[in-house]
Amino acid sequence: MSNPVKLKFSEKYDEDHAKQYFLKHQDGVSRKLSHYRDEQMARDALQKAGDPGLVLDLPCGAGRFWPLLAEKPNRIIISADNSPDMIKTAIDHQSPNVVSRVKPLHTSAFDIDLPDNAVDCIFSMRLIHHIGEPAHRLTMLREFHRVTRETVILSMWVDGNFKSWRRHRHEERRKAQGKQGDYQNRFVIPRAVAEAEFEQAGFEIESKSDFIPLYAMWRVYVLRKI
């Protein structure tokens, strides 16, 4: 891909911000409980994806899911991120036993530096809700379709729950106050829109799971390549 998409929010992930990101999910009881639930959902999604043996973790961030991905003893883990500082932070702060299982890769989700059908599964947690442009989401999903042989696991914000309703109310108030021009880097994607984009990119939905049904925005999809 000659002109990969570049997201404005990704520019902030320098070394200091990467370290803050690593510490964020360990800060306080609520963050730890949230991380525990994220792990539950991710573990369940991996099982539904057939416990893949070769996984691309993209974006890997500060390696938050490396220990979970390493639970399967013979799994090969390629951990990729657009930020080299994120990858370095993960290597510096995660357990050496886990780090030894990981093959790092500096690449973009919109232009993945791997051949066609390179992995069994792409594991993409907390990325697509940063992508507000449908064309950009479709570019990424088609790149995922190219690189995976079988499945994609991804998490995103969806509508149809209390938190999305409350966020919509908040955004409407901001518009009324003339703040609609403020930069946004996180988006609620309507479920019908997301699922139509999955189909357009060449996937069918294997499963979907909500963080807290009817309350929280987070949903994890398992998509199967068709």
Side-chain angles (χ1 to χ4, degrees):
M1 188 183 305
S2 58
N3 294 302
V5 176
K6 293 183 180 180
L7 301 178
K8 185 176 179 180
F9 85 94
S10 64
E11 298 171 1
K12 69 181 181 180
Y13 290 117
D14 57 15
E15 186 174 357
D16 287 341
H17 195 93
K19 289 177 181 177
Q20 292 172 25
Y21 188 85
F22 171 77
L23 295 171
K24 179 176 73 170
H25 296 287
Q26 306 174 38
D27 183 20
V29 174
S30 63
R31 292 276 191 185
K32 290 177 180 177
L33 287 173
S34 176
H35 174 63
Y36 176 75
R37 177 60 178 149
D38 281 342
E39 286 192 320
Q40 276 188 323
M41 295 174 71
R43 193 176 287 112
D44 178 66
L46 286 163
Q47 184 178 11
K48 289 174 178 173
D51 282 327
L54 176 52
V55 174
L56 172 62
D57 178 17
L58 174 63
C60 69
R64 182 158 75 102
F65 291 100
W66 287 7
L68 182 145
L69 291 169
E71 288 175 353
K72 184 178 173 70
N74 60 342
R75 176 174 286 144
I76 299 170
I77 307 161
I78 302 173
S79 284
D81 205 282
N82 189 55
S83 165
D85 288 311
M86 276 291 201
I87 297 172
K88 181 179 183 302
T89 296
I91 291 171
D92 289 345
H93 290 83
Q94 296 294 340
S95 162
N97 291 334
V98 171
V99 171
S100 68
R101 298 278 308 282
V102 169
K103 302 178 184 297
L105 175 66
H106 177 214
T107 195
S108 166
F110 301 97
D111 188 16
I112 303 170
D113 189 17
L114 288 172
D116 296 357
N117 303 308
V119 300
D120 298 327
C121 177
I122 296 177
F123 181 83
S124 184
M125 304 296 278
R126 302 205 172 194
L127 172 61
I128 199 169
H129 74 297
H130 287 298
I131 306 172
E133 290 291 332
H136 294 170
R137 290 197 299 269
L138 196 56
T139 295
M140 187 191 76
L141 288 167
R142 284 174 170 157
E143 185 68 351
F144 282 6
H145 189 274
R146 180 186 71 80
V147 172
T148 189
R149 282 191 288 269
E150 297 176 357
T151 56
V152 169
I153 295 169
L154 57 82
S155 68
M156 63 194 306
W157 279 357
V158 296
D159 65 346
N161 52 70
F162 173 74
K163 283 285 191 102
S164 66
W165 172 80
R166 190 169 72 176
R167 183 175 178 85
H168 177 72
R169 288 276 304 267
H170 174 70
E171 289 174 353
E172 288 298 309
R173 284 197 297 269
R174 288 173 63 82
K175 287 180 182 178
Q177 295 166 3
K179 297 179 180 179
Q180 64 267 33
D182 289 2
Y183 171 65
Q184 270 189 280
N185 70 354
R186 294 186 294 178
F187 303 88
V188 178
I189 303 172
R191 290 167 296 172
V193 170
E195 293 176 7
E197 290 172 353
F198 300 156
E199 182 179 359
Q200 190 176 353
F203 293 104
E204 62 182 4
I205 298 171
E206 183 88 356
S207 72
K208 45 193 168 185
S209 177
D210 294 319
F211 189 91
I212 302 176
L214 301 178
Y215 177 76
M217 293 185 287
W218 284 115
R219 170 173 285 187
V220 173
Y221 283 95
V222 179
L223 308 178
R224 188 162 295 276
K225 183 174 180 176
I226 53 177

